[in-house]
Amino acid sequence: MHLSVGEWIVRHRAVPYVEPFAWTRAGAPYYDFAWLPQSVFYLVLDAFGHLGLRVLQGCIVLTSALSAMTLARTARLRPSQGLILAAMHVIVGEVFVAMLRPQSVLLIAMPLIWTGFLMIVRGERVSVAMVILFGASAVMANSHLFFPIALAPAALLLVYPQVRRKHAIGGVGSVLAGWVVAPYSPYWLEVFRHNLGSNILFRPPAAIAELQPGFVTMFQPGLNALIVLVPAMIAMPWVLTGVSLTRRERLMAALFWGLGLIVFGYATRLFLIWWLLTMLPFAWAIVRLTHTTETRPPRTSIRLTGFIACVVIIVGAVAGTRREWALEGDTRDRRLPTVGALAAEPLAKLLETRLRHGKRARALTTFGNGSFLTWRLPGLSASIDSRGVFPDSVAAAEAVVLASDRGVPLGPWRSADFAIVPVRFRVAEVLDTASEWRRIASAPGIPMSLDSVALWARKAWWEASLAPPAHP
């Protein structure tokens, strides 16, 4: 979906204000607060293909590490301590962002925000600090809904009240000015109300793992890194008890740590907020834990071992994702190795030649398949909205609710031209028995019992709109 919206923005040279794709929400408000990275993703793919996106992802990871190192240097950590902070920063990003997503911008911008306010409270290159604050804040405001946390490091102005008033006002003003340069700045209240209001994705228990409570998901398979990261964060206050901090420094550290703990308890994905709020206190904890160590250049044997380990990890990652590489396309060959929609690929391929001549079609689909199909078949209008936060437009039952939940109404299948949904969903039973519909094809999933997907079409539409398939 990020690529689809990025393409829409590049072609229209504007950001959308109404739903650009979903026929079930035609004319409904839509605010694409992530327009900047989405446009970059599409432009890179269009210019350099799927390898360009891989290089971009590598550059983002490297830049986030350098951003953390910049904070460490400004906080006067030793290079070795800064390397530990940067390593933790990259690990958090790998666990909670992982794929090429707009959240990556937060990992680059927030350490720079902390850096800018540290420079201001110390009176070091204040004008440069204000430029950093403005630039990082502006990028955040045009990239992710979590941009208000850019104001959190301004707490340093209260921790160190000796800062000159005009510098403090300039620092806060630079952050706020960054928010203003976003195209949606006149509508921020509506943007938050639109995207954070009540909807089925947020109701407990959430069907999406990263929206479930953090202390629940940390023991689930696939998020094993949380078993290490969460205890490290929980231990931070006890480590800081041995650090020489002022009362105000301790109060700020405790406030941000406690706030982060609460939001992580609410949703796993908010561990990222917990980390970004406590980066500086975590740096203080690193100093405490390493204060008796000496910084020495590593021996040749250690360097060689580390180099070999890096090579082995990279080669293993390339070998382990060779199947995904084979499925990666570009802006002309629009294949994608989307894990949650792999079973829908052969069905999309079946439809691809029949929809390529500009034919428009309305598809009933699901939360996981909707984003994939919107990119894969440009002539398709999916029932899932473009943000994926209003699956009730698809119909709740087909978005995230299983067939056993009989109390939820079915989606608007009577108004769709065709449907691509998992066969385990309740609407599949209805489509199989509806006289005006027919099942065209099925595709097995992995495991088959959970992920198998089928294509249904209204008979009249199938016969009138589509030519006979080249291969039955």
Side-chain angles (χ1 to χ4, degrees), residues 37-110:
Q38 288 171 341
S39 301
V40 172
F41 295 166
Y42 173 76
L43 289 171
V44 170
L45 180 65
D46 189 48
F48 305 105
H50 70 101
L51 293 180
L53 286 182
R54 287 183 173 272
V55 172
L56 175 62
Q57 172 74 334
C59 291
I60 289 174
V61 173
L62 176 61
T63 305
S64 66
L66 294 176
S67 179
M69 291 289 288
T70 300
L71 170 60
R73 182 176 181 180
T74 306
R76 297 172 183 170
L77 274 65
R78 300 200 308 260
S80 57
Q81 295 167 336
L83 187 61
I84 297 173
L85 182 67
M88 180 70 173
H89 193 56
V90 170
I91 291 171
V92 170
E94 191 278 332
V95 174
F96 293 95
V97 179
M99 298 170 287
L100 195 59
R101 302 171 72 182
Q103 292 94 311
S104 303
V105 172
L106 302 177
L107 297 169
I108 298 173
M110 272 303 289

Side-chain angles (χ1 to χ4, degrees), residues 302-444:
I302 296 178
R303 294 182 185 180
L304 183 60
T305 301
F307 177 77
I308 294 174
C310 287
V311 171
V312 170
I313 291 172
I314 292 172
V315 172
V318 171
T321 59
R322 61 186 181 277
R323 180 186 178 189
E324 284 74 19
W325 281 61
L327 293 174
E328 292 178 357
D330 51 29
T331 55
R332 288 157 291 280
D333 177 14
R334 303 169 75 93
R335 294 175 302 154
L336 284 175
T338 306
V339 176
L342 285 178
E345 169 59 28
L347 305 179
K349 188 174 182 179
L350 173 65
L351 287 167
E352 184 176 22
T353 56
R354 300 178 162 209
L355 294 175
R356 70 168 53 166
H357 300 298
K359 291 183 180 295
R360 302 296 297 176
R362 297 180 298 184
L364 174 69
T365 187
T366 58
F367 182 78
N369 292 323
S371 296
F372 169 74
L373 293 171
T374 301
W375 168 256
R376 185 68 176 82
L377 302 172
L380 173 146
S381 177
S383 55
I384 185 73
D385 74 281
S386 302
R387 278 287 300 135
V389 297
F390 294 105
D392 50 333
S393 64
V394 194
E398 310 320 327
V400 294
V401 183
L402 299 182
S404 58
D405 294 329
R406 299 284 175 176
V408 183
L410 291 173
W413 62 275
R414 295 183 186 275
S415 302
D417 297 315
F418 67 91
I420 295 181
V421 297
V423 295
R424 65 191 173 100
F425 277 13
R426 184 157 58 102
V427 75
E429 302 174 7
V430 176
L431 294 172
D432 275 334
T433 56
S435 59
E436 67 272 26
W437 285 73
R438 60 177 284 203
R439 185 188 290 208
I440 306 299
S442 301

Side-chain angles (χ1 to χ4, degrees), residues 150-171:
L151 207 54
L156 291 173
L157 302 175
L158 302 175
V159 173
Y160 306 108
Q162 74 275 11
V163 62
R164 299 177 65 178
R165 177 174 297 181
K166 66 176 184 179
H167 292 168
I169 295 175

